Amino acid sequence: MINIAKPMIGEEEKQAVIAVLDSGIIAQGPRVKAFEEAFAQMCGVSYCIATTSGTTALHTAMLAHGIGPGDEVITSPFTFIASANSVLYTGARPVFVDIDPETFNMNPDLLEAAITPQTKAILPVHLFGLSCDMDSILAVAEKYGLVVIEDACQSHGALYKDRRVGSFGTGVFSFYPTKNMTSAEGGMISTNDASIDEECRVIRQHGMRRRYFHDELGFNFRMTDVHAAIGHEQLKKLERFNAARRQNTQFLNAQLRGVIPPCEPEGLQHVYHQYTVRVTDGRRDALRSHLQEHGIGSEVYYPVPVHQQKFYVEELGYHDSMPEAERASREVLSLPVHPAVSPADLEVIVSTVNGFMGVN
Ligand SMILES: Cc1ncc(COP(=O)(O)O)c(C=O)c1O
């Protein structure tokens, strides 16, 4: 079976975990600090704060920016549910703007129409490994005095022009095992703002500024040194992992027929967390079954856009239509592209897709 995802855990990660276990410091300690510093360097930011997951990192970042009841946060409807749920956790309301059909990312041309006096932040999601159009998003944010929190959970190391994602506003990353790098579970916040860094650290540790003095409500969102040790070793391999994903993409782009390959706009560097094609002839699900029968894993990210999820419709009353997000949900299919996909696997994927599409 050629799986859709595979964590690339090597001897270095195993040895690093054993070293932590032997050290006796197994909760948040020196490995977390070292991982935070190395991740900040990769992103090109001054500070990073590690948490237990991408979801808790998003939640923490929102709270650190003071987002709460009565506020609106503009985001994409075509994303993993955590992007929007983290807005709900704060008591604020997610407001969706439709996506650009080429990039699958938030369409910045629709942003201004979604702004109200309640709008506090924009939460662009760099989906599948591709940065959003940050110049346009930052211009709108500046014009209206809005906070920008980047959901970079799928885009470790991706470049917008010469800058890493996560360095434009407050950035958020996930280290779930399917991601371009993992810590088993884990998350990271990136920022250049010393006050946001401090606030995130306080929220992560039960609102504690001085030991056992709690001035505000916080949580236990601390990463352990065991997870940080894995994450730090993975970070050292991120460039290599991303290069392998890009190389696999080049082959698939050149060989696949009958499907629309992902796009990489000029000046951006995609890190292909997912290699997502469009099947526009209505046979997306049939192609998926065919691939499954031939031992090839594939996945639909995402079959239902967030604004159409049952909870959002029935409990929260969302009813606007987002035609491009809805069309993408019907047409997208992600194919294996991770570093463990071999040249022989790529040949099998290409011949199976092309054979099904009738364009061998
Ligand atoms: C776009 C996006 N946002 C947020 C998350 C949440 O991350 P986690 O699963 O680590 O909580 C994920 C990943 O799962 C994601 O893909």
Side-chain angles (χ1 to χ4, degrees), residues 53-56 58 79-80 82-83 125 127 151 153-154 174-176 179 185-186 302:
S53 69
T55 305
T56 57
L58 276 168
T79 179
F80 181 57
S83 314
V125 182
L127 201 73
D151 183 338
C153 284
Q154 300 188 2
S174 161
F175 304 122
Y176 188 72
K179 301 296 195 257
E185 290 270 11
Y302 295 91

Side-chain angles (χ1 to χ4, degrees), residues 52 113-114 273:
T52 48
H273 169 56

Side-chain angles (χ1 to χ4, degrees), residues 250-261:
Q250 249 179 19
F251 184 89
L252 292 172
N253 281 352
Q255 302 290 327
L256 285 176
R257 302 282 179 266
V259 296
I260 301 175

Side-chain angles (χ1 to χ4, degrees), residues 242-253:
N242 285 349
R245 287 173 181 274
R246 289 178 57 78
Q247 201 179 344
N248 288 344
T249 293
Q250 249 179 19
F251 184 89
L252 292 172
N253 281 352

Side-chain angles (χ1 to χ4, degrees), residues 16 21 43 45 73 107 111 114 170 182 190 196 210 226 269 276 309 313 317 325 346:
L21 295 175
C43 291
V45 299
V73 176
N107 182 345
L111 263 179
T170 296
T182 185
S190 55
I196 293 296
R210 258 195 306 154
V226 177
Q269 197 175 92
T276 303
Q309 293 287 350
V313 173
L346 291 171

